[in-house]
């Protein structure tokens, strides 16, 4: 019972105390005296300067009642405070608020759950009041700490525990609402507060029984769930907190999430971690997404020595974050993201290689094998993340990323790459090559460049087609698939999938456009390089069916996307050269590979003949295919790539009707207006310096062209002066290839390259000019008797591999051991 005073003493008491005393009934069960409460409210509104005194007196009474455990009077006092707060909104309310917060703190400090809930409810009501002016001196440190502690309540009674936790979450929500909108008071975002608030919310979110793992934004909870379920209420509070975060305080709100997940070991399994970061990414403002991604990358760096499953869990969280952020703003630090991911890819491959080497000394334990599989999970997660990230970038950024990744690919014998693979060994280096090319394949997926030179610039094409990338069949497959991604600008690749004889190409409904000037220029400059890659790729001994399928698709896509009349002729020359290489078999390929090449040539010539729609050409191709179907089905893709296909022992005795003949192709195309002179010139792969360094047999050994017949094709510094004296000794020295010096070898390479790229008419004219010049000089200096050719059919013989072609006039000299070709 409240202490009563006599009438005389009561009359001497201040009016505000008398008004406060009157609101308390004799029996607390009767509740607040409403009539007297209205008088007190009217007095407070009329005399706002008295509010601080009213508050102090109410606080004094409440403190006394709390100590004496008079819960009924405590309830009445808090109800009166709430009504006064709702009624008074003047500047004079500031001192009253201090008294109010003091009374709420008293309730929260008490050990009775009912009083703690009561204090929380009053604080939440206060938090919803918009004050006219901010209070710079007011701090909420105590309330943050107390509400956070209530979120972790371990009360023995489950219902009471849930009630206290809900009160703690609602209290945190009230603190956030009260402070977060005040730009002049940012104390709530300080790390010491975020380190309490965020883990408290996450702790309650963990208690949800089903975690939403969908890619889309999680569904909004209903109002009833918010009030009754601590997990749902905590999630809603976290969303509200993150939604109010700004550029300067975003990181302070995100970092405690990592600490909580680390402390509770929630990266493996990582369902809850993924759920948390989905909430984060959908709650924050889109322009701040890259901050979260950078924080995830930084945490990945900090945990790089943890178990593979922990790292894989973090990377999968990054994947989910990237998938959401890619639709908005990712930020300017794209290369930093990819650099970090590639660094961790290298680390994962290095860990895997070290485990394999450690296990090779003895029997590999089950733990080591399990760790290897875990590392593969890490690698696949990195590649998927790179793919998601790269495929959603703008085209100009994606081109930079393609160049960036290609610059990381290690190449044997060179130091142009920027990724440290010194500790990996050959097996680890091959593994990192495959991983990087798989990453590049993901980035290039869906890339549509307007011109091929944009998609395949020289600085990207050269390292992509490097011979060292062709030593392994899986690497070559990845290179071809990357090329297909960049070359297929009209989505035709799916229609060409699988190597087969297509009865009617028109049924595929191929989409194509007329080749533009930029694409034609690209093929003039880089066509030989692409042809060489396909030619050498067909002759690799470790090819499997997929390699031939991808090579066929490459030829078909080049025909669709890049082929004018000149390119079509070059591609047909390439196909005939492949057929000849399979027949002669100078590389000693197994019979399966020889038949595979024959099948590839058949499938491609069938495709290109229908694409250019020359009836005579189609008729010849169809006739050869029909003959093969009857007599040599192993020359067709439908048969040779079957599991149990009977292969011949040799190809030397086969009838010529089984082969595609150059003269018939030239005759059929010439009748349709094609310039077929170049068909008579055999295709020879372009010679590069890498061929001499590579492990395969150098293609230089198959070229026996005397290059001195083309002086006009050399740079001016390398051309022999026209006034230089030519003697018998000089000529003898010129054809003495055994004593050729390094400078002569370089000259040979340059001339062969010119011979491959220059038009045939230009080569013929230069050869004839050289022959005439040589005739005149030999007649003057050596006084040799020159016997002219007996008829115009006298020819210059050019030998390339197995075939000889006669096209340029030649003069035979009456000299015992000297003959100029």
């Amino acid at each position: 019972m409240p202490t009563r005073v006599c009438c005389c003493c009561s009359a001497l008491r201040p009016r505000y105390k008398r008004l406060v005393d009157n609101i308390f009934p004799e029996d607390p069960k009767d509740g607040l005296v409403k009539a007297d409460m209205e008088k007190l409210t009217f007095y407070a509104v009329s005399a706002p300067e008295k509010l601080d005194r009213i508050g102090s007196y109410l606080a004094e009474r409440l403190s006394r009642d709390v100590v004496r455990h008079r819960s009924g009077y405590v309830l009445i006092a808090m109800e009166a405070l709430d009504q006064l707060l709702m009624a008074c909104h003047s500047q004079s309310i500031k001192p009253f608020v201090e008294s109010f917060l003091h009374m709420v703190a008293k309730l929260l400090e008490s050990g009775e759950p009912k009083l703690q809930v009561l204090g929380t409810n009053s604080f939440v009501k206060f938090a919803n009041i918009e004050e006219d002016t901010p209070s710079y001196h007011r701090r909420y440190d105590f309330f943050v700490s107390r509400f956070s502690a209530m979120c972790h309540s371990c009360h023995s009674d489950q219902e009471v525990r849930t009630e206290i936790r809900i009160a703690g979450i609602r209290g945190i929500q009230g603190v956030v609402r009260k402070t977060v909108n005040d730009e002049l008071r940012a104390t709530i975002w300080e790390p010491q507060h975020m380190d309490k608030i965020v883990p408290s919310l996450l702790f309650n979110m963990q208690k949800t029984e089903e975690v939403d793992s969908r890619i889309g934004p999680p569904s909004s909870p209903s109002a009833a769930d918010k009030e009754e379920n601590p997990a749902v209420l905590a999630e809603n509070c976290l969303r509200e907190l993150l939604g109010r975060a700004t550029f300067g305080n975003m990181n302070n709100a995100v970092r405690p999430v990592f600490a909580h997940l680390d402390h509770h070991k929630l990266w493996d399994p990582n369902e809850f971690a993924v759920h948390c970061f989905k909430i984060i990414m959908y709650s924050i403002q889109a322009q701040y997404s890259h901050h979260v991604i950078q924080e995830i990358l930084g945490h990945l760096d900090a945990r790089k020595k943890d178990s593979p499953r922990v790292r894989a869990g973090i990377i999968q969280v990054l994947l989910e974050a990237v998938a959401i952020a890619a639709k908005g703003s990712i930020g300017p630090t794209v290369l930093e993201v990819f650099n970090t991911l590639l660094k961790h890819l290298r680390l994962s491959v290095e860990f895997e290689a070290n485990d394999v080497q450690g296990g090779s000394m003895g029997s590999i334990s089950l733990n080591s094998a399990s760790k290897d599989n875990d590392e593969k999970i890490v690698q696949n997660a990195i590649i998927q993340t790179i793919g998601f990230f790269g495929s959603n970038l703008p085209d100009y950024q994606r081109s930079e990323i393609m160049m960036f990744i290609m610059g990381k690919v290690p190449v044997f014998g060179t130091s142009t790459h920027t990724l440290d693979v010194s500790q990996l060994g050959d097996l680890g280096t091959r593994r990192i090559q495959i991983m990087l090319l798989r990453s590049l394949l993901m980035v290039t997926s869906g890339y549509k460049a307007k011109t091929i030179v944009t998609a395949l610039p020289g600085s990207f094409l050269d390292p992509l087609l490097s011979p060292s990338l062709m030593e392994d069949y899986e690497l070559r497959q990845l290179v071809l698939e990357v090329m297909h991604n960049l070359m297929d600008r009209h989505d035709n690749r799916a229609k060409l999938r699988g190597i087969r004889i297509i009865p009617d190409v028109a049924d595929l409904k191929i989409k194509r456009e007329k080749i533009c000037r930029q694409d034609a220029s690209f093929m003039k400059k880089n066509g030989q390089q692409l042809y060489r890659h396909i030619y050498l790729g067909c002759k690799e001994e470790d090819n499997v069916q997929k390699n031939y399928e991808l090579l066929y698709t490459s030829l078909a896509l080049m025909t669709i996307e890049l082929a004018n009349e000149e390119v079509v002729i070059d591609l047909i020359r390439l196909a005939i050269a492949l057929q000849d290489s399979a027949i002669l078999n100078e590389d000693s390929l197994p019979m399966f590979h020889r038949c595979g090449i024959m099948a590839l040539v058949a499938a491609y010539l069938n495709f290109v003949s229908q694409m250019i729609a020359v009836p005579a050409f189609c008729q010849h191709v169809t006739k050869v295919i029909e003959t093969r179907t009857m007599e040599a089905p192993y020359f067709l893709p439908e048969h040779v790539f079957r599991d149990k296909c009977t292969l011949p022992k040799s190809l030397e005795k086969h009838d010529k009707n089984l082969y595609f003949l150059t003269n018939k192709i030239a005759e059929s195309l010439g009748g349709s207006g094609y310039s077929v002179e170049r068909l008579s010139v055999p295709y020879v792969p372009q010679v590069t310096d890498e061929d001499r360094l590579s492990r395969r047999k150098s293609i230089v050994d198959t070229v026996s062209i005397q290059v001195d017949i083309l002086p006009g094709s050399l740079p001016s510094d390398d051309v022999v002066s026209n006034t230089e004296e030519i003697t018998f000794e000089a000529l003898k020295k010129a054809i003495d290839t055994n004593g050729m010096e390094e400078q002569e070898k370089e000259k040979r390479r340059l001339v062969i390259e010119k011979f491959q790229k220059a038009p045939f008419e230009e080569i013929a004219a230069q050869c004839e000019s050289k022959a005439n010049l040589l005739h005149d000089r030999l007649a003057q200096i050596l006084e040799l008797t020159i016997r002219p050719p007996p008829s115009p059919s006298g020819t210059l013989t050019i030998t390339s591999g197995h075939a000889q072609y006669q096209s340029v006039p030649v003069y035979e000299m009456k000299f015992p051991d000297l003959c100029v070709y």
Side-chain angles (χ1 to χ4, degrees):
M1 296 291 291
T3 304
R4 290 295 177 181
V5 294
C6 65
C7 296
C8 296
C9 294
S10 176
L12 298 176
R13 290 168 63 81
R15 184 182 179 189
Y16 71 89
K17 287 188 178 183
R18 284 182 280 133
L19 291 174
V20 169
D21 289 337
N22 291 338
I23 66 174
F24 291 93
E26 292 288 338
D27 187 355
K29 294 181 181 180
D30 296 337
L32 183 67
V33 180
K34 295 182 179 180
D36 291 326
M37 186 63 216
E38 291 177 358
K39 295 178 182 178
L40 177 62
T41 302
F42 179 78
Y43 176 77
V45 173
S46 303
E49 68 277 3
K50 300 292 185 181
L51 267 174
D52 59 333
R53 298 184 182 183
I54 295 173
S56 299
Y57 185 61
L58 273 171
E60 180 184 342
R61 289 194 57 132
L62 183 137
S63 299
R64 185 172 62 249
D65 292 334
V66 168
V67 172
R68 297 176 180 179
H69 300 286
R70 295 176 175 176
S71 301
Y73 289 112
V74 171
L75 293 174
I76 293 173
M78 292 308 300
E79 185 179 354
L81 283 170
D82 292 343
Q83 292 189 23
L84 289 173
L85 277 174
M86 300 301 294
C88 304
H89 292 281
S90 66
Q91 294 184 3
S92 301
I93 199 176
K94 302 302 178 186
F96 175 74
V97 169
E98 296 301 326
S99 299
F100 167 78
L101 293 178
H102 177 69
M103 286 183 279
V104 172
K106 285 289 185 181
L107 294 178
L108 297 178
E109 286 177 337
S110 69
E112 296 184 22
K114 291 184 178 180
L115 296 183
Q116 292 178 352
V117 173
L118 177 64
T120 302
N121 292 338
S122 294
F123 183 84
V124 170
K125 294 177 182 178
F126 161 70
N128 292 326
I129 297 176
E130 295 184 5
E131 300 182 52
D132 296 335
T133 58
S135 177
Y136 304 108
H137 66 281
R138 191 185 305 156
R139 299 183 63 87
Y140 295 91
D141 299 12
F142 168 80
F143 296 99
V144 170
S145 300
R146 191 58 196 163
F147 289 137
S148 299
M150 291 169 65
C151 290
H152 293 84
S153 174
C154 296
H155 198 279
S156 58
D157 189 331
Q158 183 177 355
E159 292 185 2
V160 175
R161 181 170 65 247
T162 300
E163 188 178 9
I164 294 175
R165 288 185 178 181
I166 290 176
I169 296 169
R170 294 180 64 239
I172 289 177
Q173 194 173 33
V175 173
V176 171
R177 290 177 178 174
K178 195 63 181 176
T179 59
V180 80
N181 289 329
D182 191 350
E183 297 180 359
L184 299 178
R185 186 176 61 250
T187 56
I188 192 64
W189 294 107
E190 292 178 358
Q192 64 266 28
H193 299 317
M194 288 291 107
D195 290 344
K196 297 174 183 176
I197 292 175
V198 175
S200 300
L201 298 176
L202 296 177
F203 175 78
N204 284 275
M205 288 169 57
Q206 280 180 252
K207 303 306 176 181
T208 183
E209 295 181 358
E210 292 185 6
V211 177
D212 188 0
S213 59
R214 292 170 296 180
I215 293 179
S219 58
S220 300
S222 63
D225 289 338
K226 291 180 185 179
E227 297 297 331
E228 298 176 1
N229 191 334
V232 175
L233 184 61
E235 181 178 321
N236 184 63
C237 182
L238 182 62
R239 291 176 186 275
E240 186 174 347
L241 174 68
L242 294 170
R244 299 171 184 266
T246 60
F247 179 84
N249 48 47
M250 171 62 63
N251 293 341
N252 290 342
V254 174
R255 285 172 185 164
V257 178
F258 294 104
H260 180 83
L261 296 174
D262 290 342
H263 180 71
H264 292 274
K265 299 180 181 180
L266 296 173
W267 295 112
D268 178 32
N270 68 338
E271 286 82 1
F272 180 72
V274 170
H275 181 66
C276 288
F277 277 92
K278 282 184 178 179
I279 292 173
I280 293 172
M281 296 303 294
Y282 281 114
S283 299
I284 63 175
Q285 300 179 47
Q287 63 267 30
Y288 302 146
S289 297
H290 63 282
H291 280 284
V292 179
I293 294 175
Q294 285 178 326
E295 288 295 322
I296 299 175
L297 290 171
H299 194 69
L300 181 61
D301 283 337
R303 305 297 299 271
K304 62 183 179 182
K305 295 184 179 180
D306 281 28
S307 67
R309 289 193 173 273
V310 170
R311 286 182 282 125
I314 299 174
I315 294 169
Q316 287 169 358
V317 167
L318 177 63
L319 173 61
E320 296 291 343
V322 165
I324 298 171
K327 302 301 181 182
S329 171
I330 297 179
T333 56
V334 175
L335 288 180
E336 179 184 348
V337 173
F338 281 94
N339 192 39
T340 302
L341 289 173
L342 293 178
K343 179 179 68 175
H344 284 277
L345 182 62
R346 181 191 63 79
L347 284 174
S348 178
V349 173
E350 183 177 338
F351 292 152
E352 184 182 16
N354 291 339
D355 291 339
V356 171
Q357 292 174 2
S360 64
M361 302 300 294
S363 60
I364 301 179
S365 64
L366 293 177
N367 290 337
S368 178
S370 176
K371 191 172 182 181
D372 277 353
N373 293 332
D374 292 345
E375 289 295 347
K376 287 182 172 59
I377 294 174
V378 174
Q379 295 160 15
N380 290 332
I382 293 175
I383 291 172
Q384 286 183 336
T385 304
I386 289 175
F388 270 110
F389 207 159
S391 61
N392 286 283
L393 290 174
D395 287 347
Y396 72 94
Q397 280 189 323
R398 201 191 301 201
S399 299
E400 292 179 359
I401 295 306
M402 289 159 49
M403 294 293 299
F404 181 75
I405 296 176
M406 199 66 236
K408 297 284 186 180
V409 178
V411 178
F412 290 111
T414 66
S415 58
T416 56
H417 56 89
T418 58
L419 200 65
D420 182 16
V421 293
S422 57
Q423 305 296 325
L424 297 181
D426 287 348
L427 183 62
T429 301
R430 175 188 175 276
R431 182 70 177 165
I432 198 68
Q433 285 178 325
I434 291 175
M435 292 294 105
L436 290 173
L437 287 175
R438 286 180 60 192
S439 302
L440 186 61
L441 182 63
M442 293 285 288
V443 172
T444 56
S445 178
Y447 181 58
K448 296 289 188 297
K450 293 183 179 179
T451 60
I452 194 66
V453 70
T454 304
L456 286 170
S459 56
F460 178 76
L461 183 63
D462 292 340
L464 180 64
L465 300 183
S466 175
S468 60
L469 292 179
M470 299 166 59
E471 299 293 344
D472 181 271
Y473 76 94
E474 189 174 358
L475 289 173
R476 296 195 303 276
Q477 290 175 6
L478 290 169
V479 169
L480 289 171
E481 288 177 323
V482 170
M483 288 177 55
H484 296 170
N485 280 346
L486 299 174
M487 200 178 295
D488 183 22
R489 291 171 288 175
H490 296 88
D491 298 322
N492 292 311
R493 183 172 35 167
K495 304 171 185 177
L496 302 170
R497 186 168 296 145
I499 180 171
R500 64 194 188 281
I501 302 298
I502 303 173
D504 190 357
V505 174
D507 292 340
L508 301 181
K509 297 181 180 180
I510 299 293
K511 298 178 183 178
R512 64 183 306 191
E513 297 178 4
K514 185 177 180 180
I515 182 172
C516 64
R517 181 170 55 85
Q518 293 89 338
D519 289 348
S521 176
F522 172 85
M523 289 304 293
K524 281 185 176 292
K525 183 178 180 181
N526 301 291
Q528 292 296 330
Q529 193 175 4
L530 295 173
Y531 305 151
R532 172 182 179 275
H533 179 74
I534 294 174
Y535 182 84
L536 296 180
C538 288
K539 297 171 68 175
E540 291 292 341
E541 294 184 0
D542 60 342
N543 277 341
V544 295
Q545 178 179 347
K546 185 177 180 181
N547 289 85
Y548 293 113
E549 291 178 352
L550 294 173
L551 288 164
Y552 163 75
T553 304
S554 299
L555 289 169
L557 286 176
M558 290 172 64
T559 305
I560 296 170
E561 298 287 348
L562 302 171
N564 52 19
E565 289 189 6
E566 182 179 349
V567 173
V568 167
I569 296 298
D570 284 338
L571 290 171
I572 294 174
R573 286 176 60 214
L574 173 62
I576 297 300
L578 286 171
Q579 176 183 257
D580 293 345
S581 69
I583 296 172
L584 295 178
N585 197 26
E586 294 178 349
D587 297 299
S588 302
L589 293 174
M591 185 57 65
F592 169 77
H593 294 76
R594 297 172 69 184
C595 292
I597 294 175
M598 298 291 283
L600 183 151
V601 172
Y604 174 66
L605 289 180
N606 172 72
F607 176 82
V608 72
S609 64
Q610 296 186 56
M611 287 297 294
I612 64 176
V614 176
F617 185 21
C618 292
Q619 184 178 1
H620 171 63
V621 172
T622 302
K623 185 176 180 181
V624 172
I625 291 175
E626 290 176 351
T627 305
R628 288 185 177 186
T629 303
M630 299 299 296
E631 301 179 12
Y634 40 78
F635 284 169
L636 298 176
E638 290 84 354
H639 295 271
V640 70
F641 296 125
R642 203 168 48 188
D643 291 338
K644 296 180 180 179
C645 176
T646 303
L647 301 177
K649 295 182 178 180
S650 66
L651 304 182
E652 283 71 18
K653 297 181 180 180
H654 282 76
D655 185 29
K656 67 176 183 179
N657 292 330
L658 296 174
Y659 304 135
F660 302 98
L661 303 179
T662 305
N663 58 347
K664 290 194 175 183
I665 295 176
E667 182 182 348
S668 62
L669 293 178
S672 298
Y674 281 81
S675 178
V676 296
E677 290 82 1
R678 295 173 62 244
L679 277 177
S680 60
V681 181
Y683 170 74
V684 180
Q686 179 180 356
V687 182
T688 64
D689 292 335
E690 289 84 352
D691 289 312
R692 299 182 177 88
L693 300 175
S694 64
R695 302 176 209 176
R696 69 171 58 83
K697 180 181 177 182
S698 174
I699 64 171
V700 177
D701 297 338
T702 67
V703 182
S704 58
I705 302 175
Q706 182 55 269
V707 297
D708 290 339
I709 63 175
L710 296 176
S713 65
L714 292 175
S716 59
D717 294 338
D718 296 332
V719 178
V720 179
S721 173
N722 289 337
T723 61
E724 181 181 357
E725 183 179 2
I726 300 179
T727 64
F728 171 72
E729 293 297 331
L731 288 172
K732 187 174 181 180
K733 184 178 180 181
I735 64 174
D736 184 13
T737 57
N738 293 330
M740 187 177 295
E741 298 178 355
E742 192 64 26
Q743 184 177 0
E744 296 294 326
K745 292 181 180 180
E746 178 65 15
K747 184 189 299 184
R748 179 187 178 109
R749 187 186 70 80
L750 292 173
V751 176
I752 291 178
E753 183 177 346
K754 181 67 176 179
F755 182 87
Q756 293 167 344
K757 293 185 177 181
F760 177 77
E761 295 79 9
E762 180 183 343
I763 296 175
Q766 291 172 347
C767 290
E768 184 174 6
S769 174
K770 176 62 178 177
N772 292 335
L773 178 62
L774 192 58
H775 171 276
D776 296 336
R777 290 197 178 171
L778 288 175
Q780 293 174 6
I781 299 174
L782 301 179
E783 297 181 319
L784 297 175
T785 302
I786 307 299
R787 180 171 59 84
S791 67
S793 62
T795 59
L796 166 69
T797 301
I798 299 177
T799 304
S800 174
H802 64 279
Q804 292 185 348
Y805 294 83
Q806 297 176 336
S807 57
V808 183
V810 70
Y811 294 92
E812 234 180 279
M813 295 176 291
K814 291 175 100 181
F815 200 79
D817 298 318
L818 178 63
C819 184
V820 179
Y821 290 89

